[in-house]
Amino acid sequence: MLITAALLYAYNGIEQKEDETSQQLIEIHIGTAQQIISNYVLFDCESVLTDSEHYDAAAVAMFKNVCLRIATLLQLEDGGNIGVNNNSSIGVNRTFANIVDYTPYLKPLSAFRKIEGA
């Protein structure tokens, strides 16, 4: 995996939950985020962790950062906040969109996209 559950919890500044259900949910978020990234770049994004010939530390960090950001969005949706584009924890204000568009989060990886069919 590009990121660990512990890293995702730390990124979000929340205490890691040890129960099995919470762990499964976090793994689902991370796995889904990785699949979204892989679908975008058109290769298995985990390969950046082992292919040091093509990916330097900066590239790995970029992939991890995008994974953290997308997994966090997936976590936000779990609280009944499907398609959130604004959520205030201080008040009760929420603004909803119908579709979560991950494209802005994936843009930093555009240079790594493979050409389809190549």
Side-chain angles (χ1 to χ4, degrees):
M1 294 189 123
L2 279 176
I3 61 172
T4 63
L7 186 61
L8 184 58
Y9 279 116
Y11 178 79
N12 289 309
I14 57 176
E15 194 172 317
Q16 186 166 352
K17 298 176 184 173
E18 298 296 331
D19 65 280
E20 185 177 338
T21 303
S22 293
Q23 289 300 312
Q24 287 176 345
L25 196 54
I26 288 296
E27 288 175 17
I28 289 169
H29 293 148
I30 293 170
T32 302
Q34 286 188 186
Q35 189 59 53
I36 290 168
I37 293 168
S38 292
N39 290 348
Y40 179 77
V41 295
L42 302 174
F43 64 88
D44 180 6
C45 66
E46 284 188 82
S47 67
V48 302
L49 298 173
T50 56
D51 186 356
S52 59
E53 182 180 332
H54 294 101
Y55 304 101
D56 61 9
V60 172
M62 193 178 302
F63 273 84
K64 286 183 175 190
N65 183 270
V66 170
C67 191
L68 285 166
R69 295 176 76 196
I70 292 174
T72 297
L73 289 174
L74 292 167
Q75 279 185 301
L76 276 175
E77 290 177 343
D78 274 351
N81 299 318
I82 304 299
V84 166
N85 63 11
N86 183 13
N87 186 358
S88 174
S89 60
I90 296 171
V92 292
N93 299 331
R94 292 185 190 179
T95 304
F96 296 91
N98 290 330
I99 299 170
V100 174
D101 181 8
Y102 299 107
T103 307
Y105 299 93
L106 294 163
K107 288 244 187 243
L109 303 179
S110 61
F112 299 101
R113 283 187 90 176
K114 301 285 183 192
I115 297 171
E116 266 189 278

